[in-house]
Amino acid sequence: VVDSAYRGLFQSETDYTVAVYVLDEEAFAAGQAEDPSYTMDKLWTYSKSSPKKDKYQSLIKVASCDIVKNEKTGEILEFTCNPVQ
């Protein structure tokens, strides 16, 4: 889930901060049992605040990553991940 994306004026690099989640399969199954429309498609649409608001708590945040990408070439210039404590 992208937490933020920033590109300075007249720059070709974009800095992204993303949150990495894993699926709690038991919570997901409980959510599906209660609400048949609760699917992986719904989870894929989440933005940065949505996982916190998910009443079934199917996604567990495991890391935050910082990525710097050259938008002109598509090259990843930097990639660092830090586990959530």
Side-chain angles (χ1 to χ4, degrees), residues 4-79:
S4 66
Y6 174 77
R7 182 173 28 174
L9 190 61
F10 305 116
Q11 293 190 2
S12 63
E13 296 174 2
T14 302
D15 296 345
Y16 296 91
T17 301
V18 299
V20 180
Y21 293 86
V22 295
L23 180 68
D24 179 328
E25 292 181 27
E26 289 180 17
F28 183 67
Q32 285 189 307
E34 189 176 313
D35 177 4
S37 70
Y38 187 70
T39 64
M40 284 302 297
D41 287 339
K42 178 179 177 77
L43 298 183
W44 279 112
T45 65
Y46 282 169
S47 64
K48 66 181 178 179
S49 62
S50 297
K52 294 178 195 169
K53 295 178 183 178
D54 181 357
K55 71 179 184 177
Y56 304 112
Q57 297 296 296
S58 293
L59 296 178
I60 302 165
K61 186 174 180 181
V62 294
S64 288
C65 299
D66 296 314
I67 304 162
V68 178
K69 176 183 174 185
N70 182 316
E71 294 299 332
K72 290 182 180 176
T73 65
E75 179 183 9
I76 301 296
L77 304 172
E78 242 178 272
F79 183 92

